[in-house]
């Protein structure tokens, strides 16, 4: 018990935060690689046959998503230029030109020196790049892509389906393209070929590679792939030595994420909580993958509600310009002003005038507006602090100056129609038009979103824009995006603009999440309750008896906020989500509590066996990791699926896949731990060391296997743990 608590609270929660090292990579394709090899061959003056080169392309790690830094690409280019220069110099003699031979020799020597230098740094760059993990799924896709291409050279865009196998008897991965190809052949060429035959043809054309041990055709035409043990083992050792480094994701992109985005004077609600949690994680993921992320809080800080708020402020606290008004309870203040707005005609009129004065940037009105915004800002910040959220404020008001030009641009391009005094824009495919100017000359939510879109595309130069906003706003956002395309701000083939929508939060009764009295739940109250529940749970488990008060407090916040975040992330964001403290604090099933427990266990084993990271790295360098035991093999493969999972999420933005994977990893580890010895213990002295019995699988369990998942789990889980200072 003590051990568990010790690890859980001291080690896990104080684990380092996810580090977002930003890498700059560029991709090199096979053709470039081919020329690179030709150049290399030229330099080394070795001759190389085409089959040899092909062999090199398919077997060396360069043929995969091989990444090189920009510097690498630049150096290659220089090598090309220098080679050409040497050739030119060599040819001077035969062309009969007779400049000073001495001078030429000199220059030649210098060039050779420079060439050697470049070759050396090229080598260094190359060894750096192989440090990153490999996405086995995309390796296999490349291999099967080549096989299909060779088997059916005339087929355009043949389906390429590679997935991990669900059962060990079906191998490690499966290629299921044969069925699709059979359909295409039938439809486009009226050829009736059974998928099994196609599968056989594909299998025969698999190019030489380093990852496939053997393939088997099964069922109607599945190609079951068995990975090579030495390949998996080598990847795990490299992971151990180099740490978790994702394969390069191509050019470093600018990613703009619009998330959280609550409204001033209105309480931040559970919908905003979802956006905050999902958005923050998305930002971390893109940063982890090496991109440049701009985190934007598109605050609702410029609506008509400010008219009534300011009018009410003027009445209640006429000296607000000199004395800060006590409007801590902004909600109550908002409700009062709304009641007056609905019932007092005179007040309503004045409220509208206030909006006009605010929007014309009258200093007194700006002061009142700032006072109100500050109160909300402080409230939001409390929540961001609890959940460890980093975001910059760029509310609707930020775009005010741009809105006039937006309206003009749509008018100039002939997209505007006037309807009952309003200026509206119809976008093909969308029945409801955007209102870009109201009849009183004011701007709307549509106008500010159009301005924001243009700013993110043209000023921020975003390559990927993500809007983490509830599904209810889908039509609004899709119309805005389509309008942006229509007016020529971006081309969806080049720039990705995505609405990462999410469903509503429901109570345990499956109805909209409300308090007992039917009011909206205040977020801060929700977080408070989380803290209370976490403490109850900790006391239940008698953690208060083994921890210092500070440790207990740290555990409480980590469990409470970690569980709230993980519960949200582990559900498919597209579905509605049932908020349940009981479920999220359960230490069984796919919950943060369970993962923290699994993680703790791994760290405890490592500590018990007196293994530290340095020892593991040394072992990985010197020993071959043996993966003979079935559970060991399963764990090894599971660990290596990490890049594949992350790359999928970068595409579909569905974060629950990562949680599913983590859960699978933790349970696979448990299976392994239950079946393989990891630690030996001297009964008399109590001394422990990694298991070194006769069974090879267990040797590696103790020596290196744990370590395989140890750094991965550590880094992943610390992502979800709230960092607690020592
Ligand atoms: N403030 C809005 C709301 O609470 C969300 C804003 C989302 N972002 C955007 N660019 N529209 O509903």
């Amino acid at each position: 018990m003590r051990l568990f608590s010790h690890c859980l609270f001291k080690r896990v929660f104080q684990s380092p935060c996810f580090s977002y090292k930003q890498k700059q990579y560029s991709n090199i394709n096979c053709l470039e690689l081919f020329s690179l090899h030709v150049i290399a061959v030229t330099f080394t003056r070795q001759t190389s046959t085409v089959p040899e080169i092909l062999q090199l392309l398919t077997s060396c790690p360069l043929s995969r998503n091989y990444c090189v830094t920009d510097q690498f690409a630049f150096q290659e280019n220089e090598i090309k230029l220098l080679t050409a220069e040497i050739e030119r110099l060599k040819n001077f003699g035969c062309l009969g030109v007779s400049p000073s031979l001495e001078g030429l020799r000199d220059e030649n020597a210098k060039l050779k020196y420079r060439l050697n230098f470049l070759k050396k740094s090229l080598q260094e760059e190359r060894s750096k790049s192989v440090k990153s993990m490999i996405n086995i799924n995309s390796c296999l896709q490349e291999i099967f892509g080549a096989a299909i291409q060779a088997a059916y050279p005339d087929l355009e865009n043949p389906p390429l389906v590679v997935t991990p196998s669900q059962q060990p008897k079906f191998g490690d991965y499966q290629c299921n393209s044969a069925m699709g190809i059979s359909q295409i052949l039938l439809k486009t060429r009226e050829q009736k070929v059974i998928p099994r035959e196609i599968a056989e043809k594909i299998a025969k054309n698999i190019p030489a590679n380093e990852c496939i041990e053997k393939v088997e055709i099964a069922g109607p035409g599945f190609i079951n792939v068995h990975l090579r043990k030495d390949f998996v083992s080598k990847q795990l050792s490299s992971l151990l030595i180099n740490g978790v480094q994702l394969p390069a994701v191509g050019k470093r992109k600018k990613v703009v994420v619009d998330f959280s985005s609550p409204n001033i004077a209105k309480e931040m609600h559970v919908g905003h909580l979802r956006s905050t949690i999902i958005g923050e994680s998305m930002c971390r993921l893109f940063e982890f993958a090496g991109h440049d992320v701009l985190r934007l809080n598109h605050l609702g800080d410029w609506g008509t509600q400010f008219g009534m708020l300011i009018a009410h402020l003027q009445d209640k606290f006429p000296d607000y310009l000199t004395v800060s008004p006590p409007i801590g309870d902004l909600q109550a203040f908002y409700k009062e002003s709304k009641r007056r707005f609905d019932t007092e005609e005179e007040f309503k009129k004045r409220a509208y005038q206030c909006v006009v004065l605010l929007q014309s940037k009258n200093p007194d009105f700006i002061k009142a507006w700032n006072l109100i915004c500050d109160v909300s800002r402080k409230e939001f910040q409390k929540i961001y602090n609890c959940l460890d959220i980093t975001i910059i404020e760029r509310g609707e008001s930020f775009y005010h100056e741009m809105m006039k030009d937006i309206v003009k641009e749509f008018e100039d391009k002939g997209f505007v129609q006037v309807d009952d005094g309003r200026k509206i824009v119809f976008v093909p495919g969308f029945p409801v038009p955007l209102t870009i100017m109201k009849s009183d000359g004011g701007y709307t939510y549509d106008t500010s979103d159009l301005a924001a879109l243009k700013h993110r595309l043209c000023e921020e130069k975003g390559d990927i824009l993500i809007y983490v906003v509830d599904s209810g706003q889908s039509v609004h956002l899709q119309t805005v995006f389509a309008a942006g395309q229509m007016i020529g701000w971006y081309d969806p083939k080049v720039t990705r603009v995505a609405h990462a929508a999410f469903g509503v939060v429901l109570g345990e009764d499956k109805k909209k999440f409300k308090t007992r009295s039917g009011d909206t739940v205040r977020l801060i109250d929700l977080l408070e309750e989380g803290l209370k529940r976490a403490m109850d749970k900790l006391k239940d488990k008698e953690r208060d008896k083994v921890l210092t008060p500070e440790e207990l407090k740290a555990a409480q916040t980590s469990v409470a906020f970690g569980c709230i975040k993980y519960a949200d992330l582990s559900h498919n964001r597209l579905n509605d989500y049932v908020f349940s403290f009981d479920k999220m604090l359960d230490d069984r099933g796919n919950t943060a509590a369970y993962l923290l427990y699994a993680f703790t266990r791994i760290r405890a084993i490592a500590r018990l066996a007196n293994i530290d990271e340095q020892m593991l790295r040394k072992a990985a360098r010197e020993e071959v990791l043996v993966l003979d035991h079935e559970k060991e093999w399963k764990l090894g493969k599971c660990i290596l699926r990490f890049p594949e999972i992350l790359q999928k999420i970068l595409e579909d933005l569905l974060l629950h896949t990562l949680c599913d994977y983590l859960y699978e990893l933790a349970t696979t580890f448990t299976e392994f731990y239950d079946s393989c010895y990891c630690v030996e213990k001297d009964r008399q002295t109590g001394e422990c060391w990694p298991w070194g019995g006769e069974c090879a699988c267990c040797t590696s369990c103790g020596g290196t296997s744990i370590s395989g998942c140890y750094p991965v789990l550590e880094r992943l889980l610390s992502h979800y743990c709230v960092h607690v200072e020592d």
Side-chain angles (χ1 to χ4, degrees):
M1 193 59 85
R2 274 199 75 93
L3 186 69
F4 172 71
S5 329
H6 179 79
C7 299
L8 185 64
F9 306 121
K10 204 139 172 58
R11 299 278 199 143
V12 179
F13 296 153
Q14 294 179 358
S15 58
C17 263
F18 216 46
S19 66
Y20 336 114
K21 276 185 222 129
Q22 299 184 334
K23 295 166 262 165
Q24 228 173 346
Y25 288 122
S26 64
N27 257 334
I28 174 166
N29 64 28
C30 273
L31 256 183
E32 284 172 302
L33 190 74
F34 194 87
S35 36
L36 185 75
H37 183 68
V38 173
I39 293 165
V41 168
T42 319
F43 287 150
T44 50
R45 298 195 186 281
Q46 285 167 357
T47 44
S48 172
T49 60
V50 171
E52 264 170 25
I53 295 173
L54 280 176
Q55 168 71 23
L56 203 107
L57 284 174
T58 46
S59 64
C60 82
L62 289 174
S63 66
R64 291 184 292 268
N65 282 349
Y66 188 63
C67 52
V68 283
T69 59
D70 288 345
Q71 199 191 344
F72 189 178
F74 170 75
Q75 284 169 351
E76 283 165 43
N77 219 3
E78 260 203 85
I79 289 179
K80 271 190 212 162
L81 293 176
L82 288 173
T83 317
E85 187 65 11
I86 290 175
E87 284 310 312
R88 193 180 63 80
L89 289 172
K90 268 198 224 151
N91 288 339
F92 265 128
C94 30
L95 290 174
V97 189
S98 57
S100 148
L101 195 61
E102 221 29 48
L104 278 177
R105 281 204 178 119
D106 248 20
E107 196 169 345
N108 199 3
K110 275 188 211 152
L111 286 172
K112 272 190 181 156
Y113 172 78
R114 175 110 188 96
L115 196 62
N116 277 336
F117 175 78
L118 284 170
K119 271 201 281 185
K120 244 175 85 186
S121 36
L122 192 68
Q123 207 72 40
E124 272 167 28
E125 288 295 334
R126 191 181 282 174
S127 67
K128 255 191 240 163
S129 311
V130 287
K131 284 182 179 171
S132 54
M133 291 178 81
I134 282 173
N135 179 340
I136 297 180
N137 199 327
S138 35
C139 280
L140 292 173
Q141 290 202 23
E142 268 184 48
I143 293 169
F144 279 99
I148 294 169
Q149 166 74 25
Y152 296 95
D154 310 330
L155 218 57
E156 255 181 57
N157 297 326
L160 192 54
V161 200
V162 178
T163 56
S165 296
Q166 293 308 322
Q167 291 181 43
K169 65 175 177 194
F170 298 137
D172 305 313
Y173 280 83
Q174 281 186 324
C175 169
N176 303 338
S177 297
M179 281 62 82
I181 294 177
S182 156
Q183 301 250 322
I184 294 177
L185 290 178
L186 187 66
K187 270 195 209 131
T188 60
R189 302 188 190 167
E190 290 179 7
Q191 279 177 22
K192 241 187 170 172
V193 193
I194 55 164
R196 246 191 115 86
E197 220 172 274
I198 298 171
E200 264 152 26
K201 197 161 171 190
I202 297 173
K204 274 200 196 98
N205 280 284
I206 292 175
N209 63 79
E210 61 170 342
C211 46
I212 301 179
E213 171 78 42
K214 62 170 182 186
V215 295
E216 286 159 352
I217 317 290
F222 301 112
I223 308 173
N224 294 344
V225 179
H226 295 261
L227 294 176
R228 278 174 62 166
K229 286 239 163 88
D230 59 344
F231 167 74
V232 171
S233 157
K234 216 168 74 195
Q235 297 309 320
L236 285 170
S237 299
S238 144
L239 170 64
L240 215 56
I241 295 165
N242 304 308
V244 180
Q245 295 193 29
L246 282 187
V249 282
K251 189 181 142 268
R252 186 168 190 238
K253 294 198 167 127
K254 173 87 178 248
V255 187
V256 181
V257 186
D258 174 326
F259 71 106
S260 194
S261 310
N263 302 315
I264 299 281
K266 296 186 191 161
E267 202 59 64
M268 199 170 171
H269 55 72
V270 278
H272 295 121
L273 177 69
R274 279 205 99 176
S275 172
T276 309
I277 292 172
I278 296 171
E280 168 70 31
S281 290
M282 243 173 229
C283 293
R284 290 189 190 195
L285 202 70
F286 275 92
E287 278 162 357
F288 183 63
H291 296 299
D292 173 17
V293 178
L294 178 64
R295 301 146 166 261
L296 294 185
N297 201 351
H298 192 80
L299 282 186
D301 63 355
W302 208 237
T304 0
Q305 84 259 31
F306 283 99
M308 59 189 205
L309 280 165
I310 294 174
H312 191 50
L313 186 78
Q314 286 173 330
D315 292 348
K316 280 275 223 163
F317 307 104
D319 54 356
Y320 76 87
L321 286 173
T322 46
V323 184
S324 231
I327 47 170
D329 192 351
L330 201 53
Q331 273 276 286
F333 191 80
Y334 177 82
K335 274 189 188 155
E336 260 173 59
S337 62
K338 175 93 175 81
R339 189 188 42 76
R340 289 186 68 192
F341 184 84
D342 293 337
T343 53
E344 298 172 28
E345 207 42 49
E346 190 52 37
F347 181 82
K348 192 172 180 171
K349 236 191 235 154
R350 199 151 53 82
Y352 279 126
Q353 283 161 5
C354 286
V355 180
V356 177
L357 285 162
L358 172 68
Q359 300 208 338
S360 62
K361 304 265 168 99
N362 175 308
D364 289 356
F365 285 78
I366 290 288
K367 166 106 191 185
W369 172 74
N370 266 323
L371 285 170
I372 294 165
C373 289
D374 274 346
V375 180
S376 281
R377 221 171 256 138
K378 279 195 195 112
E379 290 303 307
F380 300 153
Q381 197 52 48
K382 277 189 210 156
I383 289 162
Y384 297 148
N385 290 347
C386 284
L387 299 174
D388 196 15
I389 307 295
T390 310
I391 192 162
I392 65 165
E393 183 183 322
R394 199 177 278 179
E396 292 172 34
S397 64
F398 175 88
Y399 303 97
H400 184 74
E401 299 305 326
M402 293 159 230
M403 296 191 209
K404 195 168 82 219
D405 296 338
I406 295 288
V407 175
K408 185 164 181 306
E409 190 175 343
F410 275 90
E411 274 176 332
D412 289 350
K413 295 202 170 145
F415 291 123
V416 175
Q417 289 179 26
V418 179
D419 171 67
D420 211 8
R422 299 179 307 146
K423 292 186 179 169
I424 57 169
V425 172
F426 273 99
V427 185
F430 294 87
V432 183
L434 294 170
T435 300
I436 59 169
M437 192 185 261
K438 292 190 288 186
S439 50
D440 64 2
Y443 303 117
T444 68
Y445 190 48
D446 292 348
T447 335
S448 59
D449 256 326
L450 284 170
L453 176 66
K454 184 167 185 200
H455 191 264
R456 290 163 191 183
L457 291 165
C458 306
E459 303 296 319
E460 292 298 348
K461 309 233 177 314
D463 300 299
I464 302 177
L465 312 187
I466 302 172
Y467 290 68
V468 189
V469 183
D470 63 272
S471 313
Q473 301 197 33
S474 186
V475 175
H476 160 74
L477 287 174
Q478 295 305 339
T479 320
V480 169
F481 300 164
Q485 278 175 53
M486 176 177 85
I487 202 158
W489 293 340
Y490 76 102
D491 174 359
K493 285 195 214 87
V494 182
T495 311
R496 180 171 180 203
V497 181
H499 175 204
F502 54 83
V504 289
V505 183
L506 304 174
E508 290 189 71
D509 54 2
K510 305 271 161 66
K511 294 206 183 104
K512 226 172 160 196
F513 196 66
K514 293 260 178 215
T515 59
R516 283 219 182 91
S517 58
D519 286 340
T520 344
V521 180
R522 292 177 54 203
L523 266 202
I524 203 76
D525 295 343
L526 193 80
L527 298 184
E528 287 290 332
E529 182 170 354
L531 283 173
K532 195 187 144 304
R533 297 270 207 132
M535 186 53 92
D536 291 348
K537 192 96 183 170
L538 289 166
K539 288 194 171 151
D540 230 34
K541 303 220 165 199
E542 302 193 334
R543 298 290 183 266
D544 50 332
K545 301 210 172 109
V546 286
L547 295 174
T548 65
E550 296 78 49
E551 283 172 334
L552 189 67
K553 179 108 196 50
Q556 179 194 21
T557 45
S558 297
V559 169
F561 304 144
C563 287
I564 291 176
K565 280 184 182 179
Y566 190 83
D568 206 326
L569 294 171
S570 59
H571 288 87
N572 185 332
R573 64 173 164 80
L574 294 167
N575 301 335
D576 290 348
Y577 153 60
V578 178
F579 192 96
S580 156
F581 274 123
D582 289 338
K583 282 218 180 87
M584 63 180 77
L585 289 166
D586 197 342
D587 50 17
R588 292 155 305 172
N590 188 3
T591 63
Y594 171 73
L595 287 184
L596 287 171
Y597 166 73
F599 175 54
T600 307
R601 211 153 88 162
I602 295 167
R603 297 204 92 176
I605 299 165
R607 208 187 44 236
L608 196 69
N610 283 319
I611 307 174
D612 61 28
E613 282 210 37
Q614 229 177 343
M615 281 165 66
L616 294 174
R617 266 199 293 273
K618 187 166 176 286
R621 275 200 194 93
E622 291 166 4
E623 286 167 41
V624 174
L625 208 134
V626 187
L627 299 163
D628 280 347
H629 193 283
E630 168 212 347
K631 299 293 178 194
E632 208 173 24
W633 176 235
K634 187 173 170 189
L635 180 61
K637 285 182 300 173
C638 186
I639 291 168
L640 294 184
R641 268 183 33 232
F642 179 53
E644 165 179 334
I645 301 292
L646 286 200
Q647 283 179 338
K648 183 175 176 295
I649 305 174
L650 293 174
E651 284 302 312
D652 62 20
L653 309 174
L654 292 170
L655 292 160
H656 69 279
T657 327
L658 180 57
C659 301
D660 290 347
Y661 168 71
L662 284 177
Y663 182 58
E664 189 187 332
L665 189 60
T667 46
T668 309
F669 175 80
T670 307
E671 274 179 42
F672 151 79
Y673 183 64
D674 289 345
S675 329
C676 301
Y677 288 109
C678 290
V679 183
E680 274 191 282
K681 187 173 181 179
D682 184 319
R683 279 180 197 279
Q684 258 125 53
T685 62
E687 199 193 331
C688 297
W689 58 89
W691 174 266
E694 61 288 346
C695 160
C697 83
C698 299
T699 314
S700 50
C701 299
T704 38
S705 286
I706 304 170
S707 51
C709 53
Y710 171 75
V712 181
L713 262 186
E714 174 169 25
R715 281 172 180 82
L716 291 180
L717 289 180
S718 56
H719 177 52
Y720 290 108
C721 298
V722 177
H723 181 55
V724 181
E725 296 299 331
D726 278 313

